[in-house]
């Protein structure tokens, strides 16, 4: 609707003698007390605004309340922007019902009961007195009723205009936003997206002296690795060509024992505390980027709205990093991009349930997916895992809300089967405890860089000169699982993962830096799942810790750009040696400005090796001359293991008795003296009680036997004592010959005793 000018309003008053309509606009997200309603910001680009969601898992949530000021006495028509969220599938009855209370009066209309799409629902007219009064959203079901905004007007005959454009003219006018929004910056680097990639980029750049803005549309950091989504962080870090990369991620990464994990395991507070500890970072939580300003082929600024108030801020910068996952910043800037048309992976909404000491009830869900127990994999260990995934080849951008809602229908339908259908007898005490309303998407847009990494590059181990971030996850692509897809072939909700295990999961494949900047938007970096790779290559780089390491590299590259007044491509072409040098510094190293000297603090992490930090006892911390099983020369059939804890390094080897297998360790003696020969092994009843151990030093040879079935102090059996001279190179051989059980080759050491 085109709004009248002031002169038009004056003419209307003169010609008709009537006063203009009084009206009042209320954004649901701005309610003073949201009660049990959740703030949903996932679909702003799709439907125009944040909104409140009554996500009560089948139990009505507490009212959301606020105080409004009625501008004048009169009869007001009440409009509520909402939808019937299952109507698009012809499902009924509407699950997301809610009422509106103004003052003491509850409107007769039940909202959330009409409209396949977001639209204005007429709540009828109500007489209101001028002044302050209360306003409340009253959930009726606990099944995801949703409210964007309310519009009260004394114009009883005119419908409000569509409001599906982000901060469109009508909404701007109603919010009273200034013509010139608040300006922030300029920053050296503006990072949009506060998941692992965005956090890595922001912290890394800030510690290298850059002034950084970090924009995140949620109240917490971590993205899929937050308490809101609860996907445990995967991908090995601190290894490969640059084992310092990943140290920043190690500071805040979760230690969840399963996925989905518990709220506490994801450490939302820790993530925020680490970011806020950086004086160079301006953290902007609850801000949704929605547009960019361009100057030729460069981004000048990002516009973001406060998801709680609707206020707008324009964030200016020299460099920008798209960590949005969907590639929003690159899309608005006109970056070259790609999105696989068929075979795309979907979105997951994981869930958890528990059991009480007494029987519980769960409402019937006729509007959910029509499921019996055979229609879904049983949620063992009380949780629905990553494979509760849908939206394959659906519009991951324009129809994201429907994908999420389909997942909700699947979860509620499954739990209904457990409680009210053929699973009822076995689940009398079952209770639904958590369902992620924030979706975990896997694939959408990818922004193209100077290198588009392919599966062939990875499998053939193509060695790019700028290879830097180790990708250790297998090429993991998801498809609908056939046995569960038959009932809902248009949108299956259970997936299967197919793994190409050609990736080196220990050392990792070094992803090139040239995948981390746009090939046609000159000051745009990207990190996360929207980097420059093919669909197949995305299968290995998309896991969170790997994405976080991309951010670390981008942050270091941004500091070079700031110091040298250059662009991301120039870092590769003219300053690659500088980037390599920075990647060898600890994650906690810092400098005041991009041109200051770098200071390494005393609490910097110990340098890991090319295969990462040891998962067991660090050989460097063992007293003496140590050789791990990874350093041994092996012959015969040895197997690798990590099941017996207390091992040295990354694991151990074991071989059966009488198989002629040997493990030969070499140790160089640096000073003369008497040494104990230690043989490390974890005890087990199937281990040999007389493992043959031979020490050779030139022509000198001595044979020992050790009992590997019993516990030794420090897991190290003392085989014997020997005198050695400086410069001696000693060989220690473990053999399966004449052993009476499994031989365990973990590590050996020479420890000086005088």
């Amino acid at each position: 609707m085109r709004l009248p000018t002031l002169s038009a309003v004056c003419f209307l008053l003169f010609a008709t003698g009537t006063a203009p309509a009084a009206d009042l606009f209320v954004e649901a997200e701005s309610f003073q007390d949201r009660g049990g309603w959740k703030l949903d910001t996932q679909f702003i680009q799709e439907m125009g605004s944040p909104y409140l969601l009554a996500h009560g898992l089948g139990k009505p949530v507490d009212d959301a309340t606020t105080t409004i000021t009625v501008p004048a006495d009169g009869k007001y028509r009440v409009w509520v922007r909402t939808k019937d969220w299952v109507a698009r599938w012809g499902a009924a009855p509407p699950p997301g019902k809610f009422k509106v209370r103004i003052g003491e009066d509850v409107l007769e209309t039940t909202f959330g009961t009409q409209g396949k799409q977001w639209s204005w629902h007429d709540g009828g007219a109500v007489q209101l007195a001028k002044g302050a009064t209360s306003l409340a959203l009253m959930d009726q079901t606990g099944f995801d009723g949703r409210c964007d905004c309310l519009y009260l007007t004394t114009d009883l005959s005119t419908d409000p205009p569509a409001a599906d454009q982000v901060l469109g003219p009508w909404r701007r006018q109603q919010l009273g936003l200034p013509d010139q929004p608040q300006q922030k910056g300029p920053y050296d680097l503006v990072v949009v997206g506060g998941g692992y990639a965005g956090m890595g980029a922001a912290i890394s750049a800030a510690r290298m002296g850059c002034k950084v803005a970090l924009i995140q549309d949620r109240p917490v950091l971590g993205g899929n690795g937050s308490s809101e989504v609860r996907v445990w962080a995967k991908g090995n870090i601190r290894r490969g060509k640059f084992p310092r990369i990943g140290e920043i991620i190690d500071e805040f990464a979760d230690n969840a024992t399963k996925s989905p994990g518990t709220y506490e395991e994801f450490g939302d507070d820790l993530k925020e505390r680490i970011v806020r500890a950086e004086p160079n970072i301006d953290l902007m939580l609850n801000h949704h980027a929605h547009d960019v300003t361009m100057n030729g082929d460069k981004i000048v600024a990002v516009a973001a709205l406060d998801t709680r108030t609707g206020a707008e801020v324009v964030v200016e910068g020299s460099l920008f990093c798209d960590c949005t996952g969907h590639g929003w910043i690159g899309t608005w800037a006109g970056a070259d991009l790609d999105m696989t048309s068929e075979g795309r992976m979907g979105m997951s909404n994981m869930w958890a349930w528990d059991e009480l000491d007494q029987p519980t009830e769960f409402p019937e869900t006729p509007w959910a997916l029509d499921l019996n127990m055979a229609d879904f994999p049983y949620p063992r260990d009380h949780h629905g895992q990553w494979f509760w995934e849908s939206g394959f080849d659906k519009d991951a951008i324009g129809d994201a809300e429907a994908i999420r809602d389909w997942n909700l229908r699947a979860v509620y339908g499954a739990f209904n089967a457990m409680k009210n259908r053929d699973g009822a007898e076995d689940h009398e005490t079952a209770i639904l405890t958590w369902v992620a309303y924030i979706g975990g998407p896997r694939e959408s847009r990818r922004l193209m860089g100077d290198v588009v990494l392919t599966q062939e590059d990875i499998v053939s181990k193509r060695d790019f000169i700028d290879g830097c971030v180790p990708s250790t996850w297998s090429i993991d692509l998801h498809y609908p699982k056939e046995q569960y897809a038959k009932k809902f072939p248009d949108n299956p909700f259970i997936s299967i993962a197919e793994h190409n295990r050609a990736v080196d999961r220990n050392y990792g494949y070094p992803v090139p830096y040239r995948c981390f900047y746009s090939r046609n938007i000159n000051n745009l970096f990207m990190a996360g799942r929207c980097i420059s790779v093919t669909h197949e290559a995305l299968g290995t780089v998309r896991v969170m810790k790997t994405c976080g390491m991309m951010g670390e590299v981008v942050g270091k590259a941004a500091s070079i750009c700031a110091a040298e007044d250059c662009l991301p491509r120039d870092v590769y072409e003219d300053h690659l040696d500088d980037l390599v040098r920075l990647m060898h510094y600890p994650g906690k190293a810092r400098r005041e400005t991009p041109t200051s000297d770098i200071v390494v603090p005393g609490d910097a992490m110990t340098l890991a090796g090319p295969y990462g930090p040891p998962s067991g006892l660090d050989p460097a911390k063992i007293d003496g001359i140590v050789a791990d099983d990874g350093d041994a020369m092996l012959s015969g059939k040895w197997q690798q293991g990590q099941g017996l804890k207390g091992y040295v390094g990354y694991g151990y080897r074991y071989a059966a008795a009488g198989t002629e297998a040997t493990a030969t360790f070499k140790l160089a003696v640096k000073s003369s003296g008497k040494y104990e020969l230690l043989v490390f092994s974890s005890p087990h009843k199937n281990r040999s009680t007389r493992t043959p151990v031979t020490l050779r030093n030139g022509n000198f040879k001595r044979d020992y036997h050790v009992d590997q079935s019993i516990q030794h102090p420090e897991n190290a059996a003392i085989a014997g004592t020997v005198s050695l001279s400086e410069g001696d190179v000693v060989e220690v051989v473990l053999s399966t010959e004449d052993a009476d059980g499994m031989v365990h080759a973990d590590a050996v050491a020479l420890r000086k005793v005088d």
Side-chain angles (χ1 to χ4, degrees), residues 236-246 453 462-472 507-516 531 546 549-554 556-557 571-572 576 579-580 582-584:
N236 292 324
I237 58 177
R238 300 175 60 194
R239 64 196 59 236
K241 295 168 68 175
F242 304 101
R244 290 293 189 184
I245 300 300
L453 190 69
R462 182 177 177 184
D463 187 13
F464 290 94
I465 190 174
D466 54 335
C468 52
V469 169
S471 187
T472 59
Y507 183 86
Y509 175 78
V511 179
Y513 164 73
R514 282 170 288 172
C515 294
F516 306 152
I531 67 165
T546 304
M549 289 188 288
M550 300 174 196
E552 288 190 37
V553 172
V554 163
K556 295 177 188 297
V571 173
Y572 169 73
L576 188 57
L579 180 59
V580 168
L582 291 184
M583 289 191 292
H584 282 301

Side-chain angles (χ1 to χ4, degrees), residues 172-185:
R172 283 179 179 274
Q173 183 199 43
Q174 294 299 326
L175 291 171
L177 296 181
D179 293 336
Q180 296 297 321
Q182 179 188 5
Q183 305 282 321
K184 299 195 75 171

Side-chain angles (χ1 to χ4, degrees), residues 682-734:
S682 298
H684 194 277
K685 61 184 179 180
N686 71 355
R687 297 292 184 236
S688 171
T689 65
R690 56 172 194 268
T691 297
V693 180
T694 299
L695 182 147
R696 296 193 188 98
N697 180 21
N699 294 325
F700 175 81
K701 174 185 174 183
R702 185 168 293 178
D703 293 320
Y704 309 97
H705 288 86
V706 296
D707 186 350
Q708 295 190 307
S709 69
I710 63 174
Q711 180 73 56
H712 295 280
E714 302 177 275
N715 276 359
I718 301 175
T721 304
V722 62
S723 295
L724 299 169
S725 300
E726 179 181 350
D728 285 348
V729 177
V730 174
E731 286 188 347
V732 178
V733 182
L734 274 63

